[in-house]
Amino acid sequence: MKITKIDTFLVSAVWRNFVIVRLETDEGVVGYGEGTMGDFEKTIAAAVNDFAPFLIGREIEINKITNFLNRNFFWRHGPILSTAISAIEQAMWDAVGKSLKKPVYELLGGRSIDRLRVYANGFISGAQEPEKFAEAAVDVVKQGFTALKFDPFGAAGPTISSEDFKAAIKRIEAVRNAVGDNVDIMIEAHGRFNVRTAINIAHAIEEFNPFWLEEPVPEENIISMREVKQASRVPIATGERLTSVGRFWDLLSSNAADIIQPDVCHVGGIRAFSHVAAMADVNNVAVAPHNPNGPIATAASINALSTVPNALILEYWLDAQTVRRSLVKEYFDISDGYLHPSSKPGLGIEVNEEALTKYQYKKMHLEYFSSDYKYYGDTA
C-alpha cells in the first residue's frame, strides 16, 4: 500500500487550532493523524508539507519511513519537526490498521489493560475565586470523572508572592473540600517556578493529597526536576514538552520523575510513545499521557496507552465540545471515569470530513501566565 497524497487541515477549537493530517493510499484507504501543539499551527502544517514530497509513492513501512524522517535530514527533533513526524506516523498506523481491519493496538501486540482511566482538564479558565474552582470541580465529578487537573497559581513564576501563594492554596483547599477524598486532584504548574519555590509549593500542597504536582520547574532542566523530586513527597509528573525518545532517556536515567507524560503528538508518534513507555516500565515509572489535543490524537493516545503495562491515566479535555464531537462520527464513551478502547480498525474513529473545513483557522495566541490571560472563542 503506497502513499499517494498528504493534506493538512487547521481546525479552530476555542484557544488553539487542531492540526489534522489526512493521508491517502493507492488502495483507497485514508489514514488520519494529528499534530496539534497550541501554537505554530501553520509552521507544523508547513513541515508536514515539506516532508510530503519525500513520501509520495513510497510503500507504507512505518519504521522505515519514520527512521528516514528522523535521521535523513540535517535538523532533527525539536517541537516542530517531531510534531509533524508524529502526525504523519499516526496517519500511517491508521491507514495500515484500516487496511488490515485491525485496531492499531492489536498491531502493537494487543492490549495490556481493558479500560483506561481518564482525568478531566479544560473545565475552568480565568477564575480567581476559590469558590469558582470548587464549583467547576463539582460539575466535573457530576459528569462521572474521578480525577481532575487544574493550575491554581495564576500568573506566578518563577517565584510567587505571599499573597499569590496563599490564594493558590485556598483554591486547592476549596477543590479538595468540594470533591472529597475519593476524587484525585492533579496540580499543574506549567514549568514556571524555580527549585526553591517549587519545593515550597510541594511541601505546602502535601496536606491535600494531590495525585501529582506537574512540571514544577522548567521541563528542559532535568537536574532541577530531580532536585524537586528528591525533596517532595508529592509525586512529580513531567514530560509533555520532551520531543524525543532520547530526552526521555535523560529524564528517566536521572530519576527525575515519578510519572512521565509523553504526548503522542510531539514525541514522534505511536511507536516512539511505546519506546518511551517501555523505558519507563523498567524504571518503575508510570505513564500518564499529555493530551490537550483533538479527538484524533485522543484516539492515537488510547491505542498507544492501552498496550502499556505501566499505564496510569489519560488526560481528557472538556473544552470545545462542539468542535471535538463534530470531527468524529462517534465520540468517546466515558463511564465511571474510564473509557474502553474501540474495536474498530485503525485508530478506532471515523472522521467527519466536512468538519475539517467547517471550523476555519483563526489566528490566536493564548497568554497562559500573564495578567491579560484570555480564553478565546465559544466554549460551547
Side-chain angles (χ1 to χ4, degrees):
M1 185 167 61
K2 295 181 179 180
I3 299 170
T4 57
K5 189 178 182 183
I6 296 176
D7 292 311
T8 57
F9 299 87
L10 304 181
V11 180
S12 175
V14 184
W15 59 266
R16 85 296 243 169
N17 295 280
F18 298 147
V19 181
I20 310 300
V21 168
R22 183 181 187 276
L23 181 150
E24 294 184 17
T25 71
D26 61 347
E27 294 184 5
V29 178
V30 175
Y32 285 94
E34 184 174 341
T36 299
M37 196 164 72
D39 282 308
F40 309 110
E41 302 95 339
K42 287 189 173 182
T43 312
I44 294 165
V48 172
N49 294 333
D50 281 342
F51 282 135
F54 299 97
L55 304 179
I56 303 302
R58 292 189 63 154
E59 194 76 24
I60 297 184
E61 297 172 292
I62 297 174
N63 289 340
K64 185 178 290 186
I65 287 178
T66 52
N67 284 341
F68 168 77
L69 295 177
N70 279 308
R71 299 174 185 272
N72 282 52
F73 295 86
F74 184 82
W75 293 105
R76 305 174 185 175
H77 308 303
I80 301 301
L81 295 181
S82 288
T83 300
I85 292 170
S86 296
I88 294 168
E89 193 255 17
Q90 293 168 41
M92 290 192 292
W93 278 111
D94 190 34
V96 170
K98 289 174 179 174
S99 177
L100 298 175
K101 296 180 172 54
K102 296 285 186 181
V104 168
Y105 60 75
E106 286 195 17
L107 304 183
L108 296 172
R111 290 182 292 180
S112 293
I113 52 178
D114 293 327
R115 61 179 187 167
L116 298 175
R117 192 182 183 202
V118 293
Y119 71 87
N121 200 351
F123 59 89
I124 188 169
S125 172
Q128 298 293 325
E129 301 82 4
E131 296 78 13
K132 295 296 183 181
F133 277 79
E135 290 171 7
V138 167
D139 184 60
V140 166
V141 174
K142 287 180 180 178
Q143 295 178 52
F145 291 92
T146 62
L148 54 92
K149 185 173 78 177
F150 61 98
D151 184 337
F153 300 110
T159 61
I160 187 168
S161 68
S162 176
E163 181 182 359
D164 288 342
F165 188 88
K166 291 177 182 177
I169 297 301
K170 287 181 179 179
R171 292 170 189 138
I172 298 170
E173 182 180 27
V175 170
R176 172 53 78 203
N177 290 339
V179 302
D181 294 332
N182 294 328
V183 173
D184 289 313
I185 60 174
M186 294 82 161
I187 305 303
E188 169 73 90
H190 286 110
R192 303 205 301 283
F193 299 107
N194 60 31
V195 170
R196 183 180 296 276
T197 303
I199 292 173
N200 288 340
I201 288 171
H203 291 167
I205 67 175
E206 185 180 325
E207 65 174 296
F208 305 111
N209 192 29
F211 200 66
W212 70 55
L213 173 60
E214 182 170 329
E215 284 198 342
V217 294
E219 76 293 334
E220 67 268 18
N221 194 328
I222 291 174
I223 294 174
S224 293
M225 195 73 70
R226 180 178 63 191
E227 190 173 347
V228 176
K229 176 182 177 293
Q230 290 173 340
S232 172
R233 292 205 293 182
V234 175
I236 300 301
T238 188
E240 67 183 53
R241 282 178 277 193
L242 300 184
T243 59
S244 72
V245 174
R247 286 296 287 158
F248 275 98
W249 168 258
D250 294 339
L251 178 72
L252 291 163
S253 61
S254 298
N255 191 27
D258 299 289
I259 300 155
I260 61 164
Q261 300 172 293
D263 189 320
V264 74
C265 282
H266 309 314
V267 74
I270 292 171
R271 178 67 77 187
F273 179 101
S274 298
H275 291 331
V276 167
M279 291 192 302
D281 191 29
V282 299
N283 283 278
N284 296 312
V285 172
V287 178
H290 179 247
N291 179 46
N293 311 305
I296 295 171
T298 298
S301 298
I302 291 168
N303 277 272
L305 188 63
S306 65
T307 69
V308 171
N310 51 333
L312 180 62
I313 197 167
L314 175 66
E315 185 172 18
Y316 188 93
W317 271 64
L318 298 180
D319 75 334
Q321 284 295 300
T322 299
V323 180
R324 292 176 183 277
R325 293 177 180 273
S326 295
L327 279 170
V328 291
K329 295 186 177 180
E330 290 184 20
Y331 208 63
F332 310 102
D333 182 24
I334 295 178
S335 177
D336 299 323
Y338 288 84
L339 61 75
H340 294 264
S342 171
S343 60
K344 293 182 179 180
L347 294 179
I349 54 173
E350 185 178 356
V351 173
N352 179 5
E353 296 201 343
E354 292 180 359
L356 294 175
T357 55
K358 180 178 179 180
Y359 303 98
Q360 295 292 317
Y361 167 83
K362 294 180 181 178
K363 185 178 181 180
M364 61 180 71
H365 172 62
L366 181 62
E367 294 289 344
Y368 290 91
F369 316 119
S370 77
S371 57
D372 297 325
Y373 181 95
K374 292 180 180 179
Y375 202 66
Y376 291 86
D378 180 6
T379 57

